[in-house]
Amino acid sequence: MDRLAILTGAGVSAESGLGTFRDNDGLWDNYDPMEVASIDGWYRNRKKVLDFYNIRRKQLENAAPNEAHKLIASLEKRFKVDVITQNVDNLHERAGSTNVLHLHGELCKVRPENTFCEVDGFSEKEVYDVGYGEVHLGDKAPNGVQLRPHIVFFGEAVPNMTKAVEIVSKADMVLIVGTSLSVYPAASLYHYAPDSAPVYLIDPKAPGIADARIRHIKMVATDGMREFVKMI
Ligand code: APR
């Protein structure tokens, strides 16, 4: 069975009502990422960061997977699918995708603030699932240390990048859905695909980088996924 690597960004969850970062009125128009999503921001004002992710967890509780997530999950019947997502939401999993690798962390998980990413990520014993609950200053892990979001902050290493590169380097086809390809190292991932692997992009906007290799389906995720599933 052919291996299909699907790289997703905030655009795949836009039609579920979750905001993207860099579109008009996106998250980064309303929050300063260096204050709410960076390691310096965390040490400067933990409460502001905790509140930001508490709000996003509440939004996720009221969101549902859209047809793009569901069509991505349905492709597991035809391909060996690996979803590599920059998103911290759980909509791929809730849509039924079974191989989901989060590059930038997971919104519903937290860990003690004194755990740092090893080469191959974190030992699961250090990560706790809070579901859609809130985490506040003073909420501690069993080891007595303040809990922090299990999110890759700006300024931190991306623990699953090694695994992601290995997956893409063995892919027979790559599909990118809903990302501005503006944040590295995630944005560089598709370059690791073998020359023989076609690379498709579903996004209503042209990618910031001009790359003749990319076959662009200029549509929103739901329409583009219907088109892609018909085409392959
Ligand atoms: N369907 C498909 N794509 C869409 C839709 C939609 N309905 N709406 C918007 N898009 C596209 C935009 O055109 C854009 O290319 O989704 C992309 C969103 O880009 P960003 O907001 O930059 O989100 P993303 O690429 O996921 O950001 C990467 O930046 O801040 C960090 O950690 C954060 O993971 C995030 C990373």
Side-chain angles (χ1 to χ4, degrees):
M1 185 183 270
D2 283 357
R3 285 166 295 204
L4 170 60
I6 303 181
L7 316 180
T8 66
V12 77
S13 299
E15 291 162 272
S16 295
L18 296 182
T20 62
F21 294 94
R22 295 172 184 82
D23 288 312
N24 296 340
D25 199 27
L27 272 168
W28 298 153
D29 283 343
N30 295 295
Y31 294 91
D32 176 351
M34 291 307 121
E35 282 189 9
V36 296
S38 78
I39 187 62
D40 294 340
W42 170 252
Y43 288 122
R44 216 176 14 253
N45 187 336
R46 292 173 174 78
K47 182 180 179 315
K48 183 176 273 194
V49 176
L50 290 168
D51 291 348
F52 174 66
Y53 287 98
N54 286 338
I55 292 167
R56 291 183 69 194
R57 228 171 268 122
K58 211 35 81 194
Q59 287 166 346
L60 178 56
E61 183 173 28
N62 301 319
N66 62 57
E67 195 186 352
H69 295 106
K70 292 173 189 165
L71 286 171
I72 286 170
S74 72
L75 286 172
E76 292 189 5
K77 297 188 200 79
R78 298 168 56 189
F79 297 89
K80 182 185 176 315
V81 177
D82 282 281
V83 175
I84 302 171
T85 186
Q86 297 171 84
N87 299 342
V88 295
D89 67 51
N90 59 3
L91 296 179
H92 282 302
E93 292 91 337
R94 285 162 58 187
S97 286
T98 57
N99 291 320
V100 181
L101 186 65
H102 286 269
L103 288 182
H104 293 164
E106 297 181 63
L107 195 48
C108 298
K109 295 186 178 172
V110 291
R111 67 175 197 266
E113 69 169 336
N114 67 340
T115 48
F116 299 93
C117 111
E118 312 300 334
V119 170
D120 55 356
F122 297 86
S123 60
E124 280 319 302
K125 69 174 184 330
E126 292 168 331
V127 177
Y128 303 94
D129 196 321
V130 284
Y132 304 108
E134 296 193 351
V135 179
H136 296 284
L137 218 44
D139 290 349
K140 306 243 166 85
N143 69 357
V145 172
Q146 172 66 48
L147 286 169
R148 60 159 277 180
H150 184 49
I151 297 284
V152 178
F153 289 145
F154 284 106
E156 293 188 304
V158 175
N160 288 329
M161 194 60 195
T162 312
K163 278 181 215 158
V165 167
E166 197 183 326
I167 290 167
V168 174
S169 61
K170 293 179 183 148
D172 299 297
M173 181 159 52
V174 175
L175 170 63
I176 305 168
V177 187
T179 174
S180 59
L181 293 172
S182 56
V183 173
Y184 287 80
S188 64
L189 255 182
Y190 79 90
H191 292 292
Y192 290 93
D195 291 345
S196 56
V199 178
Y200 293 92
L201 166 69
I202 296 174
D203 195 304
K205 269 194 236 143
I209 33 110
D211 185 335
R213 176 172 192 188
I214 292 179
R215 303 174 192 195
H216 187 193
I217 301 171
K218 202 169 168 41
M219 293 179 178
V220 293
T222 50
D223 296 340
M225 279 307 302
R226 278 191 287 271
E227 201 58 33
F228 180 76
V229 168
K230 266 191 301 193
M231 180 179 66
I232 53 170

